Amino acid sequence: MIKEFWQEHREQKKQLKKERKQSKKHPKTKEQVAYKVFGIIFVIGLMIGSVAFCCRGTGDVPPSYSWDNIIGITDEMKTALTKSVDEKELFDDAVDIVDWSMARDKLVAGGLGKLIVNDSVDVDKLNSKEVAISSNIDLKENELCALVSKMTEGDEYEDYLQLLFIDIYWEDTQAYLKTIIKMDLSFLIAGTELPQVYVTTVSCLDILNEDLASVGEYIQLNQVEKKLNDEIVETINKNSLLDISVFTNSYVVSIMNVFIDCINADVEIQNNGIRLVTK
């Protein structure tokens, strides 16, 4: 399962990289090259001539986005995706260095200290499966969020995905997983410059074949009204090689499963976290 996950992970990265390269490989004529050179000179001159004005500005220059490669995008959708969002309205308990410190101490106490190198998780040592859990470890949501973030440091997706929040809760006998990821949509669709959005995802969290499983993800972008939100998600998915959901709860749970398998542990879902259990 682990080999399959990393293989699929690599194939996804290769395909996205290939698509980005292809969007940049359109051969240019001499006229296009000349226009490009002239354009660069013009832009430099414009920048120099406007330095004084820029220095007088009282705010940041609004970002410029390109939507041309997205079939079906509307002005209403663009407005919704570029509207500013207050993080405090989405979650009030941001993960910080203290959460990682607590997670790290618990991993060390559970016999996994050799995995911690340079204050992070050494993925090579983890994949070697030479370090196994020696006692049960209870990880709260923020500690789990910090652990997943450490495991993805240096990943090609690091510049595009930032895991901000994990919530695990129960309703009757069903566990649910809620995550919030700050996502740069540009990497989903080649040849675009798109905004960063907050992707809130809720799904059922189960244990299937001894692995955690995310089932039935619902995706919310920023704080967009439901009908428009669903239309935006559908439009982006139709234009993207991979659906947004590939990089939400399913992705987070896959990272968790890699860790659990490599340390030779079982897993239990708790309220507000998970328990790593010795076999």
Side-chain angles (χ1 to χ4, degrees), residues 51-263:
V51 166
F53 176 79
C54 290
C55 291
R56 293 167 53 200
T58 57
D60 294 333
V61 177
S64 177
Y65 302 116
S66 61
W67 312 87
D68 295 345
N69 287 3
I70 307 181
I71 299 173
I73 195 79
T74 66
D75 289 339
E76 185 181 15
M77 293 178 183
K78 296 174 186 178
T79 300
L81 289 174
T82 54
K83 186 177 181 180
S84 61
V85 176
D86 185 356
E87 285 190 357
K88 293 180 181 179
E89 294 182 6
L90 294 179
F91 59 96
D92 57 6
D93 190 16
V95 175
D96 56 29
I97 191 172
V98 175
D99 297 307
W100 165 240
S101 178
M102 294 178 67
R104 181 191 60 210
D105 291 346
K106 289 183 177 182
L107 296 179
V108 171
L112 304 176
K114 291 183 179 179
L115 294 178
I116 310 301
V117 178
N118 296 326
D119 201 38
S120 189
V121 177
D122 189 312
V123 176
D124 291 333
K125 287 188 177 182
L126 180 66
N127 287 334
S128 71
K129 297 188 177 183
E130 295 176 359
V131 182
I133 187 174
S134 61
S135 61
N136 295 350
I137 301 173
D138 289 336
L139 291 175
K140 296 300 183 183
E141 297 152 327
N142 274 19
E143 297 163 355
L144 188 58
C145 186
L147 173 60
V148 172
S149 296
K150 286 291 182 178
M151 287 185 64
T152 55
E153 282 184 348
D155 190 283
E156 185 176 344
Y157 299 147
E158 186 178 23
D159 293 336
Y160 303 99
L161 304 172
Q162 181 184 3
L163 178 62
L164 301 174
F165 179 82
I166 287 179
D167 184 22
I168 296 174
Y169 60 95
W170 290 78
E171 291 184 359
D172 296 326
T173 59
Q174 178 61 59
Y176 290 88
L177 171 65
K178 176 182 178 180
T179 68
I180 299 178
I181 294 175
K182 192 173 184 179
M183 179 183 297
D184 185 341
L185 295 176
S186 303
F187 88 112
L188 286 176
I189 305 174
T192 60
E193 289 294 334
L194 302 180
Q196 291 185 333
V197 297
Y198 292 89
V199 183
T200 301
T201 309
V202 176
S203 63
C204 295
L205 184 63
D206 294 309
I207 296 178
L208 302 176
N209 299 322
E210 300 183 351
D211 284 335
L212 291 169
S214 171
V215 181
E217 290 99 347
Y218 178 76
I219 293 172
Q220 172 72 48
L221 304 180
N222 291 343
Q223 296 167 305
V224 182
E225 176 271 327
K226 185 180 186 305
K227 182 176 183 296
L228 179 60
N229 174 79
D230 294 347
E231 292 173 356
I232 295 174
V233 171
E234 182 180 4
T235 299
I236 291 175
N237 287 341
K238 284 181 178 179
N239 286 273
S240 174
L241 176 67
L242 300 171
D243 286 359
I244 297 176
S245 62
V246 172
F247 301 100
T248 58
N249 286 10
S250 295
Y251 177 65
V252 172
V253 165
S254 295
I255 298 296
M256 294 181 193
N257 282 331
V258 168
F259 187 83
I260 294 165
D261 182 83
C262 287
I263 64 171

Side-chain angles (χ1 to χ4, degrees), residues 39-51 54:
I40 292 172
I41 295 173
F42 175 77
V43 169
I44 292 174
L46 184 62
M47 290 173 62
I48 294 174
S50 60
V51 166
C54 290

